[in-house]
């Protein structure tokens, strides 16, 4: 695997340039974002697929990644369940996966850990891939998609779906930018079926949690 994981790019999307800290989103949103990201990576590796009802195991052979392989093994052992079920299951490991992803970003020389901050090492806003090339940093890629008419590649379509579902864009865009990009976000989110499926699963979970919370308050 040469690209960063989706989970790693979601983390970088939330990094603030000015102080090396992260834009804060609710813990449950971050956990769902991490879970959706891991499942998207498995889909990109042709290990799973999704339709409107089920998450389908295609190939249980390991991908050679210490974050993804335990999740794949769990899916392989877990029987036939829908995407929402697996988002909830994987989200329970959200904090653990986030720490693994941060450690890997430091090990790869993309971030530098300094006390409680993480600083960009590559000021060119590109980061190295395993083949020695460099990839444009996720935030610049996503902003370019949102404020242009360029056709995004599948990875960026998926990230936009996930970031929208988990409420990340209001944290990284100004109110004016978010309003200006809203139609474009909706347009891009419709382009990718897997991203739509993950987004719908996360939305369904959020609705259930909200309804449960309200019922406990009555």
């Amino acid at each position: 695997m040469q690209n960063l994981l989706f989970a790693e790019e979601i983390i970088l999307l939330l990094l603030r340039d000015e102080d090396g800290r992260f834009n804060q989103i609710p813990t449950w949103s971050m956990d769902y974002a991490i879970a959706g990201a891991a499942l998207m990576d498995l889909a990109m590796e042709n290990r799973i697929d999704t339709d409107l009802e089920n998450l389908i195991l295609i190939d249980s052979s390991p991908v050679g990644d210490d974050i993804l392989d335990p999740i794949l093994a769990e899916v392989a052992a877990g029987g036939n369940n829908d995407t929402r079920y697996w988002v909830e299951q994987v989200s329970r490991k959200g904090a653990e996966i986030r720490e693994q992803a941060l450690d890997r970003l430091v090990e790869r020389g993309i971030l530098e850990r300094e006390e409680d901050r993480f600083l960009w090492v590559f000021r060119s806003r590109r980061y190295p891939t395993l083949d020695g090339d460099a990839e444009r940093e996720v935030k610049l890629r996503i902003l370019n998609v949102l404020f242009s008419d360029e056709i995004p590649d599948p990875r960026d379509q998926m990230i936009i779906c996930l970031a929208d579902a988990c409420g990340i864009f209001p944290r990284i865009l100004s109110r004016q930018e978010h309003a200006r990009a809203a139609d474009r976000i909706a347009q891009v989110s419709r382009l990718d079926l897997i991203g739509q499926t993950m987004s719908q699963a996360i939305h369904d979970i959020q609705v259930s949690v909200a309804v449960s919370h309200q019922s406990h308050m009555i």
Side-chain angles (χ1 to χ4, degrees), residues 30-67:
M30 189 64 186
D31 289 344
Y32 292 152
I34 293 290
L39 293 170
M40 284 178 173
D41 270 308
L42 289 175
M44 291 288 283
E45 292 291 323
N46 296 313
R47 296 308 194 271
I48 63 170
D49 198 0
T50 61
D51 59 26
L52 295 178
E53 295 183 0
N54 296 307
L55 186 146
I56 304 144
L57 178 69
I58 298 173
D59 180 358
S60 62
S61 61
V63 300
D65 183 276
D66 58 1
I67 290 178

Side-chain angles (χ1 to χ4, degrees), residues 124-138:
S124 66
R125 306 312 297 271
R126 291 176 179 269
Y127 38 64
T129 56
L130 297 184
D131 60 6
D133 199 354
E135 182 178 353
R136 194 177 186 200
E137 186 261 309
V138 60

